């Protein structure tokens, strides 16, 4: 059977050793693990300022009595992180991963310098907002890279699960870093980060390669005529058009797709809890157990331990999802999206809600401090499992629109993380430790309805979705 010039050119590209999907596995994993490390380190910058927050506020003569002004450095960071990917991710798609990533990494590292040297509170807030804007893009790169170097769900499961783990781990461990250097000047929180980012730069420079297939193909076609036909077929959308789509499509999905809306609420609440706990834990442990700010910061490790256990639990959940392909009657051979959810339902009801109630009603001075700390570990477990389930479910259900749908989730997560904790201090003061945490537990119980309904009627709901039908070509 003869092939035309276009088919031959596309075949040559599909088999080309420079095509990212044909790279050796060790090369793919080197890139993924370095990007994952950067995601974790960027997350440290988001929350490390919470432990010395009151010291920073006092240094700049900012009162924290009537309103938690000391949290503004975190609020502006996450607000920037909510906006940044909408503009930054299209740039990576248009200009390629490597060049843009290097620019973003250097820009982010540079923004740590004025955080350490800020002479007034306004300067600190401005540079923190810029750092969040850039950092938000760096935190989302792995979700774009993984599908470019691995083509099957089985191959992508572990990288995306690792992505979620380092994403939540970074912001969870930020207060721990602040606690470790608490006895030094608060500026050393940022100096140490600057040292870490500087040490990482040569590793990033030597490891990160261009992973965008269309970018590589366009460059190779200039020196290899056999690839020219395939390169000529590549779309060339304008950057402004990409940015417009990156803003409008997620907004459309959020307000017209109930699945996206409720799963975003669920995941955003979980991510916001990590930041709420940066306000709740110091207040509870200082009042009940006379913990110092640094000791309270170290309590955050319990959340991370739960997240690490949650990561391990996600691995058999991923295997269960792949096995569901055998019983998929509507799309034979393709795993069922709802098979992503079984672990997240008990994790939400028992781990998230149960952990919050445990934390609430063990927060008394006469109860040993380890008891509420165990409750926090349950919460961390649930956070990891739920955010992983949401990201992977949306990617499976919305297919070619997955990037826009996941962007909605990331936007919601960062906005909740930015603004919810501002109410935490007054909530814990007004309602008391027990009822404030219980209120969060009741919200968690209500949000558990989202995965339960999807597990029960997910196929029917997906069948009514315009975006999902278009993605499957059945609209």
């Amino acid at each position: 059977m003869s092939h035309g010039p276009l088919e031959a050119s596309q075949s040559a590209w599909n088999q080309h050793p420079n095509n990212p999907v044909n790279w050796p596995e060790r090369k793919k994993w080197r890139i993924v693990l370095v990007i994952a490390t950067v995601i974790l380190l960027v997350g440290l910058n988001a929350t490390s300022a919470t432990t010395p927050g009151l010291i920073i506020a006092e240094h700049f003569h900012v009162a924290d009595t009537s309103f938690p002004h000391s949290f503004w450095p975190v609020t502006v960071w996450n607000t920037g992180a909510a906006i940044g990917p909408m503009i930054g991710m299209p740039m990576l798609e248009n200009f390629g991963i490597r060049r843009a990533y290097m620019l973003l990494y250097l820009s982010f590292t540079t923004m740590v310098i004025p955080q350490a040297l800020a002479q007034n509170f306004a300067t600190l807030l401005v540079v923190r907002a810029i750092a969040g804007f850039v950092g938000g893009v760096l935190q989302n790169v792995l979700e774009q890279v993984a599908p470019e170097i691995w083509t099957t769900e089985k191959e992508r499961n572990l990288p995306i699960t690792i992505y979620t783990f380092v994403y939540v781990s970074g912001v969870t461990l930020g207060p721990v870093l602040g606690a470790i250097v608490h006895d030094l000047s608060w500026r050393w929180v940022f100096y140490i980060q600057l040292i870490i980012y500087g040490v990482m730069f040569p590793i990033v420079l030597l490891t990160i390669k261009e992973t965008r297939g269309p970018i590589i193909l366009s460059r190779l076609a200039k020196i290899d005529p056999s690839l020219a036909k395939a390169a000529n077929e590549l779309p060339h959308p304008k950057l402004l058009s990409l940015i417009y789509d990156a803003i409008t499509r997620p907004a459309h999905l959020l307000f017209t797709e109930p699945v996206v809306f409720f799963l975003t609420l669920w995941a955003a609440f979980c991510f916001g809890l990590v930041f709420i706990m940066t306000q709740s834990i110091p207040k509870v442990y200082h009042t009940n157990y006379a913990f110092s700010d640094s000791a309270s910061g170290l309590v955050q490790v319990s959340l991370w331990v739960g997240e690490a256990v949650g990561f391990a639990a996600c691995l058999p959940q991923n295997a269960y999802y792949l096995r569901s392909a055998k019983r998929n009657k509507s799309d034979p051979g393709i795993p069922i999206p709802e098979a992503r959810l079984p672990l997240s339902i008990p994790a939400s009801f028992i781990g998230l809600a149960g952990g919050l109630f445990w934390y609430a009603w063990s927060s008394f001075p006469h109860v040993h401090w380890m008891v509420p700390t165990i409750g926090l570990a349950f919460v961390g477990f649930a956070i990891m499992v739920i955010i992983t389930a949401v990201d992977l479910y949306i990617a499976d259900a919305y297919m070619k629109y997955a990037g826009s749908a996941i962007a909605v989730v990331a936007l919601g997560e960062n906005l909740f993380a930015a603004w919810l904790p501002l109410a935490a201090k007054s909530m814990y003061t007004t309602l008391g430790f027990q009822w404030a945490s219980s209120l969060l537990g009741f919200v968690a119980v209500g949000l558990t309805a989202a995965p339960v309904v999807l597990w029960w009627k997910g196929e029917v709901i997906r069948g009514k979705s315009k975006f999902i039908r278009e993605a499957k070509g059945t609209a």
Side-chain angles (χ1 to χ4, degrees):
M1 181 178 178
S2 62
H3 295 281
L6 176 58
E7 289 80 3
S9 182
Q10 290 175 334
S11 177
W13 168 241
N14 292 337
Q15 300 173 42
H16 201 284
N18 287 343
N19 187 330
V21 300
N22 298 327
W23 287 348
E25 285 297 302
R26 62 181 181 276
K27 180 177 181 179
K28 295 179 181 180
W29 276 107
R30 276 199 304 268
I31 294 170
V32 164
L33 292 176
V34 168
I35 293 175
T37 302
V38 170
I39 293 170
L40 188 148
L41 295 177
V42 167
L44 295 178
N45 187 247
T47 54
S48 57
T50 57
T51 305
L54 292 175
I55 296 174
I56 294 172
E58 182 180 346
H59 179 86
F60 291 123
H61 308 292
V62 176
D64 213 31
T65 51
S66 59
F67 188 83
H69 293 291
S70 60
F71 195 75
W72 279 116
V74 182
T75 294
V76 297
W77 198 102
N78 279 293
T79 302
I83 299 169
M86 292 188 175
I87 298 173
M89 297 309 290
M91 291 179 64
L92 267 68
E93 185 175 335
N94 202 52
F95 298 119
I97 294 291
R98 179 174 164 80
R99 292 177 182 175
Y101 194 86
M102 292 303 148
L103 177 62
L104 289 165
Y105 188 88
L106 285 173
S107 299
F108 179 79
T109 302
T110 302
M111 283 298 104
V112 179
I113 299 173
Q115 291 180 59
L117 301 177
Q119 296 302 305
N120 57 69
F121 200 57
T123 299
L124 180 63
L125 296 185
V126 170
V127 296
R128 290 276 298 170
I130 298 171
F133 183 94
V134 178
V137 183
L138 290 171
Q139 285 182 313
N140 283 274
V141 168
L142 187 51
E143 284 195 299
Q144 181 167 320
V145 168
E148 290 169 347
I149 59 179
W150 284 297
T151 58
T152 68
E153 285 126 341
K154 183 177 181 180
E155 293 173 314
R156 292 194 297 265
N157 271 337
L158 182 56
I160 297 302
T161 305
I162 290 173
Y163 156 74
T164 306
F165 179 57
V166 295
Y167 178 54
V168 298
S169 290
V171 296
T172 301
L173 294 174
V176 179
L177 173 63
I180 292 172
V181 299
H182 187 267
D183 291 337
L184 303 174
S185 164
W186 64 265
R187 297 184 187 276
W188 270 99
V189 173
F190 302 111
Y191 288 143
I192 288 176
Q193 290 175 61
L194 187 61
I195 293 169
I196 294 171
Y197 300 144
V199 169
M200 273 297 296
F201 177 70
I203 300 173
V204 172
L205 182 65
L206 295 173
T207 305
I208 302 301
K209 308 299 181 184
E210 182 55 60
T211 61
R212 287 279 294 145
I215 300 293
I216 298 172
L217 176 58
S218 296
R219 293 172 183 169
L220 290 175
K222 297 176 182 178
I223 57 175
D224 187 346
S226 69
L227 301 174
K229 291 288 185 181
N232 290 337
E233 293 298 309
L234 292 172
H236 298 284
K238 295 181 179 179
L239 178 59
L240 289 179
S241 175
L242 289 171
I243 294 174
Y244 176 81
D245 287 342
I247 295 173
T248 57
R249 186 180 292 145
H252 192 194
L253 280 164
L254 179 63
F255 295 111
T256 63
E257 292 286 313
V259 171
V260 174
F261 180 81
F262 286 107
L263 289 185
T264 296
L265 279 182
W266 191 34
F269 175 74
C270 290
F271 194 66
L273 274 177
V274 176
F275 291 78
I276 288 175
M277 289 306 166
T278 66
Q279 304 301 292
S280 169
I281 289 173
K283 194 169 182 64
V284 170
Y285 284 77
H286 176 73
T287 302
N288 286 347
Y289 310 112
F291 275 29
S292 65
D293 289 342
S294 58
S296 297
L298 292 173
V299 173
Q300 293 273 148
V301 172
S302 62
L303 277 174
W304 181 82
V305 169
E307 291 163 3
V309 176
F311 170 77
C314 285
L315 303 182
Q317 166 64 71
N318 289 343
Y320 173 82
Y321 162 76
L322 293 172
R323 290 196 300 271
S324 71
K326 297 177 181 178
R327 61 178 188 274
N328 191 344
K329 297 179 181 179
S330 57
D331 292 303
I334 298 175
I336 303 169
E338 286 72 36
R340 295 285 192 190
L341 301 175
L343 181 62
S344 68
I345 295 172
S348 185
F349 190 74
I350 300 173
L352 192 65
L356 285 167
F357 287 127
W358 183 328
Y359 174 64
W361 295 100
S362 60
S363 294
F364 291 100
H366 64 272
V367 178
H368 193 276
W369 65 268
M370 274 299 298
V371 179
T373 304
I374 292 171
L376 291 172
F378 275 87
V379 173
F381 172 88
I383 288 170
M384 173 62 200
V385 171
I386 290 168
I387 293 178
T388 301
V390 169
D391 280 355
L392 290 173
Y393 179 87
I394 283 181
D396 296 337
Y398 285 87
M399 291 179 283
K400 72 176 183 178
Y401 296 118
S404 296
I406 291 173
V408 175
V409 177
L411 174 67
E413 288 169 350
N414 280 292
L415 290 179
F416 272 50
W419 299 97
L420 272 186
L422 291 175
K425 184 176 181 180
S426 61
M427 182 174 73
Y428 275 82
T429 301
T430 304
L431 298 179
F433 299 159
Q434 291 72 40
W435 284 108
S437 295
S438 293
L439 177 61
L440 297 173
F442 288 125
V443 173
V445 171
L447 290 174
T448 305
V452 170
V453 170
L454 283 175
W455 177 252
W456 177 40
K457 291 289 185 180
E459 185 176 356
V460 175
I461 294 170
R462 285 187 286 113
K464 295 180 179 179
S465 166
K466 176 185 174 183
F467 276 96
I468 293 176
R469 293 200 311 272
E470 285 183 3
K472 292 176 65 176
T474 59

